[in-house]
Amino acid sequence: MNKKEILEAYQFRHACKEFDVNRIIPQEDIEFILETARLSPSSFGFEPWHFIVVQDKNLREQLKENAWGATKKLDTASHYVIGLTMKSPLTKWDSAYILDFMKNVQKLPEEVVKGKGKFYEDFQKTDFDLSDDRKLFDWASKQSYIALGNMMTAAAMIGIDSCPIEGFNQATTDVILREKLGVDTEQFGISYMVAFGYRVVEPKEKTRRTLDEIVTWK
Ligand SMILES: Cc1cc2nc3c(=O)[nH]c(=O)nc-3n(C[C@H](O)[C@H](O)[C@H](O)COP(=O)(O)O)c2cc1C
């Protein structure tokens, strides 16, 4: 894609309110979108995320009750993704997950595991003051949102619409995650939902401040 085409994809992407129920995203395309989440960057490369694709109608109905921002999207989206983020039992510097991740996913040698582990400890204790569970979750959540952005942009690049959703009650949605979706909510929390599909109406023109207003050059 050239620059013009890339920017056209950014213009094409909008928060789509209602999708065409008759159009289903091909499996290959939704996997392509999820692959861009998988390849997203994360702090220290620890990938503090998980994605649930909710296609079951009953589950979507239940989510709807607690998700005012998802009206119409849950009924009409071709694919509906819940973005989960790891909580402190997994992301804290001394967790078994982090140790295992460095050894078995990142395949770091023993001495590098020690060094990186110490950096991660200092980062959490001092640099970013991630001293309580909520701070740690919010920090990890920020990384999950990078995956969200990438998925929406990738979707737009292949002509697929999306809508990011934070319009839901975290506590009541947590209950559904736990009881209906088998999520261990001690270990994972919900950051966002995102709907994918094909628009039924054209969006309103985009409003944005100018580059001059949001960028300072020094
Ligand atoms: C983190 C986040 C949460 C959002 N939550 C909702 C939501 O619950 N429901 C909704 O319809 N739109 C939601 N939006 C869409 C925004 O309202 C929309 O992106 C913004 O108004 C800019 O419009 P555009 O995306 O069409 O350019 C959300 C956007 C973001 C980034």
Side-chain angles (χ1 to χ4, degrees), residues 10 13-17 68-70 73 145 148 152 163-168 192 203-204 206-208:
Y10 276 81
R13 191 220 54 79
H14 69 291
C16 186
K17 304 297 177 199
W68 51 267
K73 291 107 180 173
Y145 279 81
L148 169 66
M152 293 192 298
C163 186
I165 295 156
E166 273 184 343
F168 58 86
Y192 55 79
K204 289 190 233 135
K206 267 203 195 308
T207 60
R208 290 293 191 273

Side-chain angles (χ1 to χ4, degrees), residues 147-161:
L148 169 66
N150 285 339
M151 284 193 283
M152 293 192 298
T153 303
M157 284 176 166
I158 58 168
I160 292 174
D161 289 302

Side-chain angles (χ1 to χ4, degrees), residues 41-125:
S42 55
S43 187
F44 290 82
F46 289 149
E47 306 172 33
W49 48 57
H50 190 85
F51 306 92
I52 303 182
V53 186
V54 185
Q55 299 304 84
D56 184 274
K57 274 202 162 56
N58 283 334
L59 287 173
R60 286 198 187 185
E61 274 306 313
Q62 290 172 50
L63 288 169
K64 224 162 65 177
E65 287 164 26
N66 303 287
W68 51 267
T71 321
K72 285 198 180 162
K73 291 107 180 173
L74 272 161
D75 288 328
T76 62
S78 164
H79 287 74
Y80 197 84
V81 177
I82 295 181
L84 299 179
T85 299
M86 292 180 187
K87 292 184 175 175
S88 60
L90 299 178
T91 50
K92 197 150 172 257
W93 63 270
D94 57 355
S95 79
Y97 168 81
I98 295 296
L99 190 63
D100 178 74
F101 195 94
M102 286 192 284
K103 283 184 185 164
N104 297 317
V105 179
Q106 297 182 323
K107 303 198 186 311
L108 301 174
E110 195 62 40
E111 67 279 9
V112 181
V113 167
K114 279 209 185 84
K116 183 166 177 169
K118 180 75 178 89
F119 259 111
Y120 191 51
E121 178 182 353
D122 291 346
F123 173 78
Q124 289 197 351
K125 285 183 173 169

Side-chain angles (χ1 to χ4, degrees), residues 8-42:
E8 277 167 7
Y10 276 81
Q11 290 285 356
F12 173 89
R13 191 220 54 79
H14 69 291
C16 186
K17 304 297 177 199
E18 185 179 358
F19 300 90
D20 183 345
V21 287
N22 297 313
R23 291 186 69 192
I24 301 298
I25 299 171
Q27 184 66 15
E28 183 192 334
D29 288 357
I30 195 72
E31 283 177 13
F32 160 78
I33 291 167
L34 292 166
E35 179 69 357
T36 69
R38 189 178 78 88
L39 294 174
S40 296
S42 55

Side-chain angles (χ1 to χ4, degrees), residues 48-52 63 80-87 91 134-149 151 163-171 173-174 177 183 185 187-194:
W49 48 57
H50 190 85
F51 306 92
I52 303 182
L63 288 169
Y80 197 84
V81 177
I82 295 181
L84 299 179
T85 299
M86 292 180 187
K87 292 184 175 175
T91 50
R134 179 63 198 245
K135 283 182 182 170
L136 203 52
F137 177 72
D138 289 344
W139 166 74
S141 230
K142 287 192 271 184
Q143 298 161 53
S144 294
Y145 279 81
I146 299 173
L148 169 66
M151 284 193 283
C163 186
I165 295 156
E166 273 184 343
F168 58 86
N169 182 296
Q170 268 179 327
T173 304
D174 249 13
L177 289 178
V183 174
T185 52
Q187 300 201 326
F188 286 90
I190 181 166
S191 296
Y192 55 79
M193 303 172 179
V194 54

